[in-house]
Amino acid sequence: MIELTAGQELTLDAVDGKPLTKVQMAVGWDHSPTAGFIGSGAPPIDLDASAVQFAGGQFFDLAFFNHLATRDGSVVHLGDNTTGKGEGDDEVITVDLGRVYPRVESILFLVSSYQGHSLEFIHNAYCRLVDDDDTELARFTLTLGVRETGLVMAKLFRDGTHWKLGAIGTGIALKTPTDSIEALLPFA
């Protein structure tokens, strides 16, 4: 497993050097015990993982809590965790790299606060890439609080016949990926 820092890239190859065909992007987080505290009137923190595809520098398709799969079925969101409670991964998105439409050049992975909470209340946020055997290939951990309501964690992108993972870790002001596709374009 490789711990990535913002800006680092990793080629997605299996141990035998062949390109990987299927991966899962899992995200997890914890929230401050006082965030959304009972009696405060604040809603509980509900983070959502999303995957947004781009082709030719333009939005192509997405998978998130309200649209669980891309049209080609290559990217599938496995369900919405509305609290972040519990151990391990909170939300998982699967990507069948062999089924991704050929024009798609990149897939952004982001986490956003559906209720509009600043991510400063979120702790231990990470995204991790695992293969079919549940072997963790790479992990990107958010180490500083983010004032915005969203975070572009990482992206998968084509590099010839291979796919690469790039760590991003940049805050962004949105609650769902459909709030501002234009704001995501610089990361595509």
Side-chain angles (χ1 to χ4, degrees), residues 20 40 63 80 113-114 167 176:
L20 290 174
S40 72
D80 191 14
S113 172
Y114 182 73
T176 68

Side-chain angles (χ1 to χ4, degrees), residues 12 18 35 51 59 67 69 83 96 111 120 165 181:
L12 301 182
K18 294 181 182 175
F59 168 75
H67 183 75
T83 65
D96 184 339
V111 175
E120 291 174 297
L165 172 70
I181 295 294

Side-chain angles (χ1 to χ4, degrees), residues 113 116-120 145-151 170-174:
S113 172
H117 291 92
S118 161
L119 297 184
E120 291 174 297
V146 174
R147 292 180 181 256
E148 292 85 2
T149 55
L151 179 71
T170 300
I172 190 166
L174 51 75

Side-chain angles (χ1 to χ4, degrees), residues 48-166:
D48 295 306
S50 304
V52 184
Q53 294 179 325
F54 292 89
Q58 300 295 316
F59 168 75
F60 187 77
D61 206 350
L62 77 160
F64 72 119
F65 72 89
N66 200 25
H67 183 75
L68 294 177
T70 55
R71 292 181 302 269
D72 62 8
S74 65
V75 180
V76 178
H77 190 294
L78 299 183
D80 191 14
N81 177 332
T82 60
T83 65
K85 291 183 180 175
E87 296 297 316
D89 302 330
D90 293 312
E91 294 191 8
V92 176
I93 296 173
T94 63
V95 182
D96 184 339
L97 297 168
R99 290 181 61 189
V100 174
Y101 190 72
R103 285 190 45 224
V104 171
E105 298 161 341
S106 64
I107 304 169
L108 287 183
F109 293 97
L110 50 132
V111 175
S112 55
S113 172
Y114 182 73
Q115 298 291 344
H117 291 92
S118 161
L119 297 184
E120 291 174 297
F121 295 110
I122 308 305
H123 303 288
N124 304 319
Y126 66 86
C127 67
R128 66 188 196 106
L129 192 74
V130 297
D131 65 12
D132 278 344
D133 299 321
D134 202 34
T135 300
E136 187 169 301
L137 305 170
R139 175 181 289 258
F140 176 66
T141 304
L142 175 67
T143 56
L144 300 173
V146 174
R147 292 180 181 256
E148 292 85 2
T149 55
L151 179 71
V152 181
M153 301 272 300
K155 76 175 177 177
L156 292 177
F157 60 98
R158 292 185 194 267
D159 184 28
T161 59
H162 293 270
W163 284 88
K164 285 187 172 182
L165 172 70

